[in-house]
Amino acid sequence: MRKWRFGLIVRILLVSGSMLAAEATLAQVGIEGQAATHVFPQFVDGAFTEVGVSYRSALIVSATDFSSPTACTFRLVGMPATAMTDARGAIVFHTFFSFTLPPSGWQVFRTPGVQSLATGSAILDCDRIVAAQLRYTLSVGG
């Protein structure tokens, strides 16, 4: 029997210049760390070409529903449009990515690490519970 707990997700939003607003959402969270909403406080992509250092991020998402598709959106916050390549090789250049996972399916989105260094955060929202993680890669000298 699977047990669930609930967590409160608070988003701080920049509204017109320096004014801040807060948005709170009650989210269902599985005891294994699975959730319908994932907030990643750090997201990085880009390079310091003069010293040969680059950073990449990879979002890994797995559906937990074995009978229905799962619709998701992935948003970059505080970052410029970024190229991301999915597991099938399709490249999308944006700050907002929509995708659908088949039942028990998965998806991986990777940044190339070649643009000027950009940092921010990211939010993954899905209509069903998913397992998700964000992995970082640091490359030195190439």
Side-chain angles (χ1 to χ4, degrees):
M1 182 168 142
R2 183 173 280 204
K3 296 181 181 178
W4 299 98
R5 63 182 172 191
F6 290 86
L8 185 65
I9 296 172
V10 178
R11 297 180 186 147
I12 304 298
L13 307 170
L14 182 62
V15 180
S16 69
S18 62
M19 193 168 122
L20 293 177
E23 170 186 315
T25 305
L26 186 64
Q28 186 179 25
V29 179
I31 57 173
E32 297 89 13
Q34 302 169 351
T37 299
H38 294 263
V39 177
F40 302 102
Q42 296 179 335
F43 190 90
V44 62
D45 179 60
F48 292 111
T49 54
E50 60 277 359
V51 293
V53 174
S54 68
Y55 295 90
R56 293 184 309 253
S57 294
L59 173 70
I60 304 161
V61 185
S62 298
T64 60
D65 193 313
F66 294 102
S67 59
S68 300
T70 303
C72 297
T73 57
F74 182 63
R75 292 183 291 145
L76 300 178
V77 180
M79 290 190 61
T82 301
M84 295 191 75
T85 305
D86 71 12
R88 289 144 191 92
I91 299 172
V92 179
F93 187 78
H94 215 281
T95 58
F96 185 86
F97 307 88
S98 294
F99 58 97
T100 301
L101 299 170
S104 70
W106 57 272
Q107 182 59 273
V108 177
F109 289 98
R110 292 181 178 90
T111 64
V114 295
Q115 68 180 17
S116 295
L117 186 69
T119 62
S121 58
I123 300 168
L124 174 68
D125 282 311
C126 299
D127 66 352
R128 300 184 188 290
I129 303 292
V130 297
Q133 60 182 293
L134 190 63
R135 292 194 178 176
Y136 308 100
T137 302
L138 166 64
S139 298
V140 179

